[in-house]
Amino acid sequence: LVPKDHPSRKLSDSYYLNSEYMLRAHTSAHQSNLMRMGLDHFLVVGDVYRRDEIDRSHYPVFHQMEGVSLIDNLMLGKMSDNIKMFEASERTETKQGVHTQDISNLCEADLKNCLVGLAKALFGQNIEYRWVDCYFPFTHPSWELEVMFNGEWLEVLGCGVMEQQILHEAGIQDKVGWAFGLGLERLAMILYGIPDIRLFWSQDSGFLNQFKDATHESVIKFKEVSKNPQCVNDVSFWLPKDQPYDSNDFYDLVREAGGPTVEQVTLVDEFFHPKKGLQSHCYRIVYRHMDRPLTNEEANVIHNDIKKNAVDKLGVTMR
């Protein structure tokens, strides 16, 4: 179901252990096992791993929640009369080839009604929302749900009618279903006003105690716990001619050297030198310790390690 050129397969976007195994990039991988166990309606929560840029809203590991709801003939009879599930027809923008248009429409209405209810429970009953057509490898048709929040459209979750092949491979021949997925940290950052995703991995009691006795009904607005100043350093280098280079390789190297002390990495300049025949990248690295002030001397030690590792491991040439 995942095309060979899909981003989730790219070495630059995923963490491979070897040629056969990788750290999971999404929780959808567990749907089949749970359906084989006989579950028709379930939520899955797990940690997922993706190589990504470095800033306050991205981290190489985060938690994803996935939901699945299957519809059998008994449930279908309670929802509508005289609807057939399956037919042999063409795949279109609004249905799969094995689904009737009626069952695709019913799944769409059921999932949208349920997920709008979720959005209203999180953001309030009077929210403005919209559905955006999109593509996911495990559902068709597929949508993203966006809500108007603080004057901007905010993506809340992705969803769609489950690809029937997933059900068939799980031994299910007489049901259809829909699924959704969302990132928990990103949602919590929005709801509670948390400015930096690194805080979720912090042991700082000033952060943790704000949520210690919280319930799902608690109204919490995050209070800033770190006023420590940033340390900013730039690094410029020529990209290698004789080996591939991807920015995510550099981001991983920075994370390995600096850990949570690195707040952000931004590609601020790039150009091609026609005489040298070389491409140049300049990155701005922002350092800030979550718990205490970070000195320039400490930041420089990390920065020099990054430069050395970039030369040794990525084959770049410092400018």
Side-chain angles (χ1 to χ4, degrees):
L1 291 176
V2 182
K4 289 187 177 181
D5 60 349
H6 191 266
S8 65
R9 290 184 181 270
K10 291 176 63 178
L11 289 172
S12 60
D13 291 343
S14 301
Y15 287 104
Y16 279 83
L17 302 178
N18 52 43
S19 60
E20 296 184 5
Y21 295 98
M22 59 178 285
L23 298 179
R24 64 183 173 198
H26 49 71
T27 50
S28 303
H30 302 286
Q31 290 181 4
S32 293
N33 288 338
L34 292 169
M35 289 188 294
R36 287 192 186 97
M37 293 167 60
L39 300 179
D40 285 353
H41 311 280
F42 56 85
L43 296 174
V44 180
V45 180
D47 47 344
V48 296
Y49 302 82
R50 297 179 188 173
R51 302 179 69 187
D52 214 332
E53 57 195 284
I54 300 177
D55 58 32
R56 287 187 165 206
S57 61
H58 292 86
Y59 205 68
V61 56
F62 62 95
H63 292 85
Q64 189 175 65
M65 184 175 78
E66 186 128 350
V68 166
S69 180
L70 302 185
I71 300 172
D72 59 16
N73 285 312
L74 180 62
M75 186 175 176
L76 179 60
K78 296 178 181 179
M79 298 170 70
S80 185
D81 295 327
N82 302 320
I83 285 185
K84 291 175 57 179
M85 286 189 182
F86 306 112
E87 66 180 15
S89 60
E90 295 294 322
R91 186 183 183 98
T92 69
E93 292 183 357
T94 60
K95 61 180 284 297
Q96 298 171 40
V98 296
H99 290 166
T100 65
Q101 188 64 61
D102 286 340
I103 196 63
S104 187
N105 292 344
L106 184 141
C107 286
E108 177 182 351
D110 189 41
L111 79 85
K112 287 184 175 180
N113 179 65
C114 179
L115 298 178
V116 166
L118 172 62
K120 289 183 175 181
L122 292 172
F123 295 96
Q125 293 298 310
N126 298 318
I127 58 167
E128 182 181 356
Y129 65 88
R130 68 183 182 186
W131 294 98
V132 180
D133 294 338
C134 62
Y135 164 78
F136 299 116
F138 304 117
T139 57
H140 179 78
S142 304
W143 304 271
E144 288 178 346
L145 174 59
E146 297 183 350
V147 301
M148 181 61 70
F149 188 78
N150 290 338
E152 296 182 354
W153 286 109
L154 172 74
E155 177 193 335
V156 177
L157 54 83
C159 62
V161 180
M162 293 179 66
E163 288 283 0
Q164 199 63 31
Q165 183 181 342
I166 297 176
L167 278 71
H168 286 171
E169 293 181 355
I172 298 172
Q173 308 295 330
D174 57 351
K175 300 175 185 178
V176 295
W178 54 265
F180 75 93
L182 56 83
L184 292 176
E185 280 91 347
R186 186 166 181 270
L187 190 59
M189 290 174 73
I190 295 161
L191 292 174
Y192 302 124
I194 298 171
D196 195 318
I197 195 170
R198 294 178 300 162
L199 285 164
F200 291 101
W201 304 92
S202 168
Q203 298 301 310
D204 190 325
S205 60
F207 172 72
L208 298 176
N209 286 340
Q210 295 185 44
F211 303 92
K212 182 178 179 180
D213 299 315
T215 70
H216 69 283
E217 296 179 342
S218 300
V219 179
I220 300 173
K221 192 65 176 177
F222 172 72
K223 299 180 180 64
E224 189 72 53
V225 295
S226 176
K227 298 295 185 182
N228 299 318
Q230 298 175 331
C231 296
V232 181
N233 278 326
D234 290 353
V235 57
S236 299
F237 47 74
W238 301 110
L239 304 191
K241 267 188 173 182
D242 55 351
Q243 66 185 71
Y245 173 86
D246 189 282
S247 290
N248 278 344
D249 295 327
F250 181 66
Y251 297 152
D252 278 349
L253 185 146
V254 172
R255 284 194 182 98
E256 184 179 345
T261 305
V262 178
E263 180 175 282
Q264 185 172 14
V265 180
T266 307
L267 178 62
V268 294
D269 184 55
E270 57 181 319
F271 72 92
F272 181 77
H273 195 294
K275 291 185 178 180
K276 292 179 179 289
L278 293 173
Q279 183 78 20
S280 171
H281 277 193
C282 177
Y283 295 88
R284 179 155 296 150
I285 305 178
V286 178
Y287 303 92
R288 175 166 22 204
H289 203 287
M290 300 300 297
D291 305 323
R292 62 173 177 80
L294 184 72
T295 67
N296 285 322
E297 289 75 15
E298 290 175 309
N300 287 338
V301 170
I302 300 171
H303 197 71
N304 288 332
D305 284 343
I306 290 171
K307 292 167 66 175
K308 181 178 183 302
N309 290 339
V311 172
D312 294 342
K313 298 181 179 180
L314 302 182
V316 305
T317 303
M318 290 294 154
R319 293 179 56 204

